[in-house]
Amino acid sequence: MKITLLGTGTPAPSLTRQSSGYLIEVGGDLIVMDHGPGAHHRLIESGYRAVDVGYVFISHLHYDHCMDFARLVLQRWDMGADRIPDLKVYGPAPIARMTELLFGEDGVYGPDIRARIEHESSIFVFEERGGKPPRKRPAPRVKEVKAGDVVEGDGWRVTVGNASHVQPQLECLAFRLDSDEGSMCYSGDSGGVCEGLIELARGCDVAILMNHYFSGGEPTASYRAACGNHLDNAAIARRAGVKTLVLTHFLAQIDQPGVRERIIHEVKQEFDGNVIWGEDLMRLEISRLKEKRL
Ligand SMILES: [Zn+2]
């Protein structure tokens, strides 16, 4: 089982950190968790293509977590030429509505899709890619999920939990993946010391947690409850008993030499496991993380 960090940034513009995205190779499947702007470019840089991805889990519908979803679906549909199974998509409501508004007959990409299905030149390209007309519309198989739901694939199982973020305006989920090769938990966006997240991450090999800002720098209590900071994350990792903590989703203000080291040092005062400062395209092999302490 391998995890590649596709995007470790925020909604803020950055050339070094794209918005949220994580790629998991497990069993015979390739899974994406979140697909914010830039994450798809990183997916290609990681050596994969949209057609290789079978499953997508979206934690919440903030645009920095789902804007490249459209790119993934359309590129996969276009290159796949009806020769690959439909993409399986899991996320909170209203992700089914979002998908319909993007790819439905009257959707944002409706005219594009119609043109690619009907225009002679597009049919030619489709056939060159191995497709047999009439071409089908993109039809991602979307299932809206909530905390407690379980999704199973080839040798893996994802359990859905709640994050503490911007509810009730947006439903916000966290995911835990278990397999024979190892386990990981991704917080999505989450703040404070979220008890549900501690339970979800219990005993995981890897926990990937939103680390938006430096502890104590929160402007309000509500901000702290919605956005992760390093000392709250250290407490979550310690109480959940995870082996490796991966910090991600950094504001530029804390993504600085000196600040970075101080955060890692302070986390290590509280949490006894490995601590990793996430970077785009960083690749984590679970078996290696199990073998050694960093
Ligand atoms: Zn968010």
Side-chain angles (χ1 to χ4, degrees), residues 60 62 64-65 165-166 189 210 249:
H60 63 300
H62 265 156
D64 59 311
H65 291 253
H165 191 40
V166 294
D189 282 358
M210 178 204 209
H249 205 296

Side-chain angles (χ1 to χ4, degrees), residues 98-175:
M98 185 182 86
T99 306
E100 179 61 24
L101 290 175
L102 285 169
F103 313 116
E105 297 267 3
D106 295 323
V108 171
Y109 294 104
D112 174 320
I113 291 164
R114 198 171 310 122
R116 284 176 206 276
I117 288 175
E118 294 176 8
H119 194 274
E120 199 181 323
S121 67
S122 299
I123 294 172
F124 173 80
V125 173
F126 173 68
E127 288 181 312
E128 286 295 299
R129 290 181 178 140
K132 294 204 178 5
R135 187 176 193 179
K136 296 191 195 108
R137 302 181 57 79
R141 284 163 53 188
V142 180
K143 183 163 193 286
E144 293 184 341
V145 291
K146 56 186 186 321
D149 286 348
V150 172
V151 177
E152 294 193 354
D154 179 15
W156 55 267
R157 183 176 72 250
V158 166
T159 306
V160 181
N162 281 321
S164 168
H165 191 40
V166 294
Q167 294 96 327
Q169 285 80 7
L170 280 182
E171 194 54 60
C172 301
L173 304 175
F175 302 114

Side-chain angles (χ1 to χ4, degrees), residues 41-265:
H41 186 86
R42 294 288 192 240
L43 174 84
I44 297 168
E45 286 183 305
S46 79
Y48 286 107
R49 295 288 184 272
V51 291
D52 301 320
V53 177
Y55 296 81
V56 179
F57 290 82
I58 300 288
S59 66
H60 63 300
L61 298 185
H62 265 156
Y63 73 82
D64 59 311
H65 291 253
C66 63
M67 209 174 193
D68 271 4
F69 172 60
R71 184 174 175 187
L72 175 66
V73 169
L74 290 172
Q75 210 152 66
R76 193 177 180 282
W77 171 70
D78 210 16
M79 300 299 140
D82 287 357
R83 292 177 297 121
I84 55 175
D86 292 330
L87 186 67
K88 297 183 185 71
V89 181
Y90 305 89
I95 193 169
R97 179 170 181 269
M98 185 182 86
T99 306
E100 179 61 24
L101 290 175
L102 285 169
F103 313 116
E105 297 267 3
D106 295 323
V108 171
Y109 294 104
D112 174 320
I113 291 164
R114 198 171 310 122
R116 284 176 206 276
I117 288 175
E118 294 176 8
H119 194 274
E120 199 181 323
S121 67
S122 299
I123 294 172
F124 173 80
V125 173
F126 173 68
E127 288 181 312
E128 286 295 299
R129 290 181 178 140
K132 294 204 178 5
R135 187 176 193 179
K136 296 191 195 108
R137 302 181 57 79
R141 284 163 53 188
V142 180
K143 183 163 193 286
E144 293 184 341
V145 291
K146 56 186 186 321
D149 286 348
V150 172
V151 177
E152 294 193 354
D154 179 15
W156 55 267
R157 183 176 72 250
V158 166
T159 306
V160 181
N162 281 321
S164 168
H165 191 40
V166 294
Q167 294 96 327
Q169 285 80 7
L170 280 182
E171 194 54 60
C172 301
L173 304 175
F175 302 114
R176 174 192 178 117
L177 185 148
D178 289 285
S179 79
D180 291 342
E181 303 162 54
S183 54
M184 61 84 73
C185 184
Y186 167 50
S187 68
D189 282 358
S190 190
V193 180
C194 175
E195 295 295 329
L197 187 57
I198 292 171
E199 281 314 307
L200 188 72
R202 178 85 55 207
C204 271
D205 294 309
V206 174
I208 300 173
L209 302 184
M210 178 204 209
N211 202 102
H212 201 56
Y213 68 97
F214 197 92
S215 303
E218 63 272 16
T220 63
S222 137
Y223 185 94
R224 178 178 172 185
C227 301
N229 66 73
H230 69 284
L231 293 181
D232 286 342
N233 284 337
I236 291 169
R238 177 180 59 75
R239 289 182 53 200
V242 304
K243 297 179 186 65
T244 295
L245 168 60
V246 178
L247 302 174
T248 187
H249 205 296
F250 304 116
L251 279 177
Q253 293 92 310
I254 65 165
D255 192 19
Q256 307 284 342
V259 182
R260 194 161 50 212
E261 286 74 14
R262 187 171 159 199
I263 287 176
I264 292 171
H265 173 75

Side-chain angles (χ1 to χ4, degrees), residues 13-24:
S14 169
L15 291 174
T16 53
R17 294 187 184 277
Q18 302 299 326
S19 294
S20 296
Y22 303 88
L23 182 69
I24 303 157

